[in-house]
PDB file of all heavy atoms in Angstrom:
ATOM      1  N   GLN Y  35     134.886  18.234-108.762  1.00  0.00           N
ATOM      2  CA  GLN Y  35     134.188  19.027-107.760  1.00  0.00           C
ATOM      3  C   GLN Y  35     132.765  19.307-108.223  1.00  0.00           C
ATOM      4  O   GLN Y  35     132.502  19.449-109.412  1.00  0.00           O
ATOM      5  CB  GLN Y  35     134.896  20.358-107.545  1.00  0.00           C
ATOM      6  CG  GLN Y  35     136.251  20.234-106.918  1.00  0.00           C
ATOM      7  CD  GLN Y  35     136.893  21.600-106.731  1.00  0.00           C
ATOM      8  OE1 GLN Y  35     136.564  22.539-107.430  1.00  0.00           O
ATOM      9  NE2 GLN Y  35     137.798  21.692-105.776  1.00  0.00           N
ATOM     10  N   SER Y  36     131.867  19.420-107.257  1.00  0.00           N
ATOM     11  CA  SER Y  36     130.514  19.826-107.602  1.00  0.00           C
ATOM     12  C   SER Y  36     130.502  21.328-107.856  1.00  0.00           C
ATOM     13  O   SER Y  36     131.450  22.033-107.529  1.00  0.00           O
ATOM     14  CB  SER Y  36     129.545  19.472-106.472  1.00  0.00           C
ATOM     15  OG  SER Y  36     129.786  20.313-105.364  1.00  0.00           O
ATOM     16  N   LEU Y  37     129.430  21.824-108.433  1.00  0.00           N
ATOM     17  CA  LEU Y  37     129.330  23.257-108.698  1.00  0.00           C
ATOM     18  C   LEU Y  37     129.376  24.065-107.416  1.00  0.00           C
ATOM     19  O   LEU Y  37     129.954  25.135-107.366  1.00  0.00           O
ATOM     20  CB  LEU Y  37     128.046  23.575-109.461  1.00  0.00           C
ATOM     21  CG  LEU Y  37     128.062  23.237-110.938  1.00  0.00           C
ATOM     22  CD1 LEU Y  37     126.718  23.540-111.559  1.00  0.00           C
ATOM     23  CD2 LEU Y  37     129.149  24.000-111.656  1.00  0.00           C
ATOM     24  N   ALA Y  38     128.765  23.562-106.347  1.00  0.00           N
ATOM     25  CA  ALA Y  38     128.766  24.296-105.080  1.00  0.00           C
ATOM     26  C   ALA Y  38     130.181  24.424-104.523  1.00  0.00           C
ATOM     27  O   ALA Y  38     130.541  25.431-103.939  1.00  0.00           O
ATOM     28  CB  ALA Y  38     127.871  23.610-104.063  1.00  0.00           C
ATOM     29  N   ASP Y  39     131.004  23.387-104.725  1.00  0.00           N
ATOM     30  CA  ASP Y  39     132.374  23.440-104.225  1.00  0.00           C
ATOM     31  C   ASP Y  39     133.241  24.394-105.028  1.00  0.00           C
ATOM     32  O   ASP Y  39     134.225  24.907-104.535  1.00  0.00           O
ATOM     33  CB  ASP Y  39     133.010  22.053-104.246  1.00  0.00           C
ATOM     34  CG  ASP Y  39     132.387  21.127-103.215  1.00  0.00           C
ATOM     35  OD1 ASP Y  39     131.792  21.653-102.249  1.00  0.00           O
ATOM     36  OD2 ASP Y  39     132.491  19.899-103.377  1.00  0.00           O
ATOM     37  N   SER Y  40     132.891  24.626-106.277  1.00  0.00           N
ATOM     38  CA  SER Y  40     133.709  25.490-107.117  1.00  0.00           C
ATOM     39  C   SER Y  40     133.135  26.898-107.234  1.00  0.00           C
ATOM     40  O   SER Y  40     133.609  27.698-108.014  1.00  0.00           O
ATOM     41  CB  SER Y  40     133.857  24.877-108.509  1.00  0.00           C
ATOM     42  OG  SER Y  40     132.590  24.819-109.134  1.00  0.00           O
ATOM     43  N   ALA Y  41     132.116  27.202-106.452  1.00  0.00           N
ATOM     44  CA  ALA Y  41     131.501  28.535-106.514  1.00  0.00           C
ATOM     45  C   ALA Y  41     132.525  29.597-106.140  1.00  0.00           C
ATOM     46  O   ALA Y  41     133.410  29.373-105.311  1.00  0.00           O
ATOM     47  CB  ALA Y  41     130.298  28.612-105.582  1.00  0.00           C
ATOM     48  N   LEU Y  42     132.384  30.751-106.762  1.00  0.00           N
ATOM     49  CA  LEU Y  42     133.331  31.841-106.557  1.00  0.00           C
ATOM     50  C   LEU Y  42     133.410  32.265-105.092  1.00  0.00           C
ATOM     51  O   LEU Y  42     134.472  32.586-104.585  1.00  0.00           O
ATOM     52  CB  LEU Y  42     132.934  33.030-107.436  1.00  0.00           C
ATOM     53  CG  LEU Y  42     133.873  34.209-107.471  1.00  0.00           C
ATOM     54  CD1 LEU Y  42     135.241  33.776-107.989  1.00  0.00           C
ATOM     55  CD2 LEU Y  42     133.315  35.306-108.345  1.00  0.00           C
ATOM     56  N   ILE Y  43     132.275  32.242-104.393  1.00  0.00           N
ATOM     57  CA  ILE Y  43     132.247  32.702-103.001  1.00  0.00           C
ATOM     58  C   ILE Y  43     133.074  31.796-102.091  1.00  0.00           C
ATOM     59  O   ILE Y  43     133.521  32.194-101.043  1.00  0.00           O
ATOM     60  CB  ILE Y  43     130.791  32.823-102.487  1.00  0.00           C
ATOM     61  CG1 ILE Y  43     130.742  33.605-101.180  1.00  0.00           C
ATOM     62  CG2 ILE Y  43     130.174  31.453-102.299  1.00  0.00           C
ATOM     63  CD1 ILE Y  43     131.155  35.025-101.292  1.00  0.00           C
ATOM     64  N   ARG Y  44     133.318  30.566-102.506  1.00  0.00           N
ATOM     65  CA  ARG Y  44     134.087  29.642-101.674  1.00  0.00           C
ATOM     66  C   ARG Y  44     135.596  29.840-101.827  1.00  0.00           C
ATOM     67  O   ARG Y  44     136.370  29.197-101.140  1.00  0.00           O
ATOM     68  CB  ARG Y  44     133.727  28.206-102.019  1.00  0.00           C
ATOM     69  CG  ARG Y  44     132.258  27.913-101.843  1.00  0.00           C
ATOM     70  CD  ARG Y  44     132.057  26.595-101.172  1.00  0.00           C
ATOM     71  NE  ARG Y  44     130.661  26.224-101.165  1.00  0.00           N
ATOM     72  CZ  ARG Y  44     129.826  26.503-100.185  1.00  0.00           C
ATOM     73  NH1 ARG Y  44     130.245  27.181 -99.158  1.00  0.00           N
ATOM     74  NH2 ARG Y  44     128.578  26.122-100.226  1.00  0.00           N
ATOM     75  N   LYS Y  45     135.997  30.706-102.712  1.00  0.00           N
ATOM     76  CA  LYS Y  45     137.419  30.961-102.902  1.00  0.00           C
ATOM     77  C   LYS Y  45     137.936  31.791-101.738  1.00  0.00           C
ATOM     78  O   LYS Y  45     137.385  32.836-101.412  1.00  0.00           O
ATOM     79  CB  LYS Y  45     137.692  31.684-104.226  1.00  0.00           C
ATOM     80  CG  LYS Y  45     137.149  30.960-105.438  1.00  0.00           C
ATOM     81  CD  LYS Y  45     137.749  29.587-105.573  1.00  0.00           C
ATOM     82  CE  LYS Y  45     137.208  28.908-106.824  1.00  0.00           C
ATOM     83  NZ  LYS Y  45     137.378  27.489-106.812  1.00  0.00           N
ATOM     84  N   HIS Y  46     139.002  31.357-101.119  1.00  0.00           N
ATOM     85  CA  HIS Y  46     139.511  31.964 -99.887  1.00  0.00           C
ATOM     86  C   HIS Y  46     139.816  33.457-100.014  1.00  0.00           C
ATOM     87  O   HIS Y  46     139.361  34.234 -99.174  1.00  0.00           O
ATOM     88  CB  HIS Y  46     140.730  31.198 -99.407  1.00  0.00           C
ATOM     89  CG  HIS Y  46     141.354  31.768 -98.179  1.00  0.00           C
ATOM     90  ND1 HIS Y  46     140.717  31.739 -96.962  1.00  0.00           N
ATOM     91  CD2 HIS Y  46     142.527  32.400 -97.986  1.00  0.00           C
ATOM     92  CE1 HIS Y  46     141.492  32.332 -96.062  1.00  0.00           C
ATOM     93  NE2 HIS Y  46     142.590  32.729 -96.661  1.00  0.00           N
ATOM     94  N   PRO Y  47     140.551  33.925-101.022  1.00  0.00           N
ATOM     95  CA  PRO Y  47     140.844  35.368-101.085  1.00  0.00           C
ATOM     96  C   PRO Y  47     139.584  36.218-101.221  1.00  0.00           C
ATOM     97  O   PRO Y  47     139.504  37.297-100.646  1.00  0.00           O
ATOM     98  CB  PRO Y  47     141.730  35.512-102.321  1.00  0.00           C
ATOM     99  CG  PRO Y  47     142.324  34.166-102.528  1.00  0.00           C
ATOM    100  CD  PRO Y  47     141.288  33.188-102.058  1.00  0.00           C
ATOM    101  N   LEU Y  48     138.606  35.735-101.941  1.00  0.00           N
ATOM    102  CA  LEU Y  48     137.357  36.472-102.106  1.00  0.00           C
ATOM    103  C   LEU Y  48     136.617  36.577-100.774  1.00  0.00           C
ATOM    104  O   LEU Y  48     136.175  37.652-100.377  1.00  0.00           O
ATOM    105  CB  LEU Y  48     136.477  35.802-103.154  1.00  0.00           C
ATOM    106  CG  LEU Y  48     135.089  36.382-103.347  1.00  0.00           C
ATOM    107  CD1 LEU Y  48     135.162  37.836-103.769  1.00  0.00           C
ATOM    108  CD2 LEU Y  48     134.331  35.577-104.373  1.00  0.00           C
ATOM    109  N   THR Y  49     136.498  35.472-100.082  1.00  0.00           N
ATOM    110  CA  THR Y  49     135.815  35.470 -98.781  1.00  0.00           C
ATOM    111  C   THR Y  49     136.529  36.385 -97.802  1.00  0.00           C
ATOM    112  O   THR Y  49     135.894  37.153 -97.078  1.00  0.00           O
ATOM    113  CB  THR Y  49     135.756  34.038 -98.219  1.00  0.00           C
ATOM    114  OG1 THR Y  49     135.108  33.201 -99.170  1.00  0.00           O
ATOM    115  CG2 THR Y  49     135.001  34.000 -96.913  1.00  0.00           C
ATOM    116  N   ARG Y  50     137.850  36.318 -97.782  1.00  0.00           N
ATOM    117  CA  ARG Y  50     138.622  37.169 -96.869  1.00  0.00           C
ATOM    118  C   ARG Y  50     138.400  38.646 -97.184  1.00  0.00           C
ATOM    119  O   ARG Y  50     138.236  39.464 -96.284  1.00  0.00           O
ATOM    120  CB  ARG Y  50     140.102  36.813 -96.946  1.00  0.00           C
ATOM    121  CG  ARG Y  50     140.920  37.563 -95.930  1.00  0.00           C
ATOM    122  CD  ARG Y  50     142.348  37.127 -95.912  1.00  0.00           C
ATOM    123  NE  ARG Y  50     142.896  37.136 -97.251  1.00  0.00           N
ATOM    124  CZ  ARG Y  50     143.953  36.435 -97.630  1.00  0.00           C
ATOM    125  NH1 ARG Y  50     144.585  35.681 -96.776  1.00  0.00           N
ATOM    126  NH2 ARG Y  50     144.391  36.504 -98.870  1.00  0.00           N
ATOM    127  N   LEU Y  52     135.769  40.044 -98.627  1.00  0.00           N
ATOM    128  CA  LEU Y  52     134.416  40.418 -98.209  1.00  0.00           C
ATOM    129  C   LEU Y  52     134.339  40.608 -96.698  1.00  0.00           C
ATOM    130  O   LEU Y  52     133.682  41.527 -96.207  1.00  0.00           O
ATOM    131  CB  LEU Y  52     133.407  39.371 -98.672  1.00  0.00           C
ATOM    132  CG  LEU Y  52     133.157  39.314-100.174  1.00  0.00           C
ATOM    133  CD1 LEU Y  52     132.292  38.101-100.519  1.00  0.00           C
ATOM    134  CD2 LEU Y  52     132.507  40.590-100.674  1.00  0.00           C
ATOM    135  N   ALA Y 100     136.173  47.504-105.130  1.00  0.00           N
ATOM    136  CA  ALA Y 100     136.391  46.075-104.897  1.00  0.00           C
ATOM    137  C   ALA Y 100     135.261  45.252-105.516  1.00  0.00           C
ATOM    138  O   ALA Y 100     135.516  44.188-106.092  1.00  0.00           O
ATOM    139  CB  ALA Y 100     136.484  45.796-103.397  1.00  0.00           C
ATOM    140  N   CYS Y 101     134.034  45.756-105.428  1.00  0.00           N
ATOM    141  CA  CYS Y 101     132.900  45.042-106.030  1.00  0.00           C
ATOM    142  C   CYS Y 101     133.027  44.982-107.550  1.00  0.00           C
ATOM    143  O   CYS Y 101     132.726  43.957-108.159  1.00  0.00           O
ATOM    144  CB  CYS Y 101     131.583  45.694-105.638  1.00  0.00           C
ATOM    145  SG  CYS Y 101     131.184  45.501-103.890  1.00  0.00           S
ATOM    146  N   LEU Y 102     133.475  46.073-108.153  1.00  0.00           N
ATOM    147  CA  LEU Y 102     133.696  46.063-109.599  1.00  0.00           C
ATOM    148  C   LEU Y 102     134.712  44.988-109.964  1.00  0.00           C
ATOM    149  O   LEU Y 102     134.540  44.274-110.956  1.00  0.00           O
ATOM    150  CB  LEU Y 102     134.199  47.421-110.080  1.00  0.00           C
ATOM    151  CG  LEU Y 102     133.155  48.508-110.275  1.00  0.00           C
ATOM    152  CD1 LEU Y 102     133.831  49.811-110.638  1.00  0.00           C
ATOM    153  CD2 LEU Y 102     132.164  48.123-111.338  1.00  0.00           C
ATOM    154  N   GLN Y 103     135.763  44.860-109.182  1.00  0.00           N
ATOM    155  CA  GLN Y 103     136.771  43.849-109.459  1.00  0.00           C
ATOM    156  C   GLN Y 103     136.212  42.442-109.277  1.00  0.00           C
ATOM    157  O   GLN Y 103     136.554  41.528-110.021  1.00  0.00           O
ATOM    158  CB  GLN Y 103     137.986  44.061-108.562  1.00  0.00           C
ATOM    159  CG  GLN Y 103     138.736  45.324-108.893  1.00  0.00           C
ATOM    160  CD  GLN Y 103     139.883  45.566-107.942  1.00  0.00           C
ATOM    161  OE1 GLN Y 103     140.386  44.648-107.320  1.00  0.00           O
ATOM    162  NE2 GLN Y 103     140.295  46.815-107.833  1.00  0.00           N
ATOM    163  N   LEU Y 104     135.328  42.266-108.283  1.00  0.00           N
ATOM    164  CA  LEU Y 104     134.729  40.951-108.061  1.00  0.00           C
ATOM    165  C   LEU Y 104     133.826  40.541-109.216  1.00  0.00           C
ATOM    166  O   LEU Y 104     133.773  39.374-109.587  1.00  0.00           O
ATOM    167  CB  LEU Y 104     133.919  40.944-106.754  1.00  0.00           C
ATOM    168  CG  LEU Y 104     134.694  41.163-105.466  1.00  0.00           C
ATOM    169  CD1 LEU Y 104     133.743  41.193-104.283  1.00  0.00           C
ATOM    170  CD2 LEU Y 104     135.749  40.104-105.270  1.00  0.00           C
ATOM    171  N   PHE Y 105     133.115  41.502-109.780  1.00  0.00           N
ATOM    172  CA  PHE Y 105     132.215  41.212-110.890  1.00  0.00           C
ATOM    173  C   PHE Y 105     132.966  41.046-112.209  1.00  0.00           C
ATOM    174  O   PHE Y 105     132.400  40.562-113.178  1.00  0.00           O
ATOM    175  CB  PHE Y 105     131.160  42.310-111.047  1.00  0.00           C
ATOM    176  CG  PHE Y 105     130.039  42.205-110.083  1.00  0.00           C
ATOM    177  CD1 PHE Y 105     129.915  43.122-109.059  1.00  0.00           C
ATOM    178  CD2 PHE Y 105     129.092  41.206-110.188  1.00  0.00           C
ATOM    179  CE1 PHE Y 105     128.874  43.038-108.150  1.00  0.00           C
ATOM    180  CE2 PHE Y 105     128.050  41.107-109.292  1.00  0.00           C
ATOM    181  CZ  PHE Y 105     127.941  42.019-108.264  1.00  0.00           C
ATOM    182  N   GLY Y 106     134.210  41.467-112.249  1.00  0.00           N
ATOM    183  CA  GLY Y 106     134.977  41.346-113.482  1.00  0.00           C
ATOM    184  C   GLY Y 106     134.463  42.299-114.538  1.00  0.00           C
ATOM    185  O   GLY Y 106     134.033  43.403-114.254  1.00  0.00           O
TER     186      GLY Y 106
END
Side-chain angles (χ1 to χ4, degrees):
Q35 293 180 336
S36 70
L37 283 177
D39 291 338
S40 64
L42 186 60
I43 194 65
R44 302 223 188 268
K45 304 300 182 199
H46 178 68
L48 175 60
T49 303
R50 186 175 51 202
L52 290 172
C101 291
L102 280 175
Q103 292 176 23
L104 296 177
F105 281 109

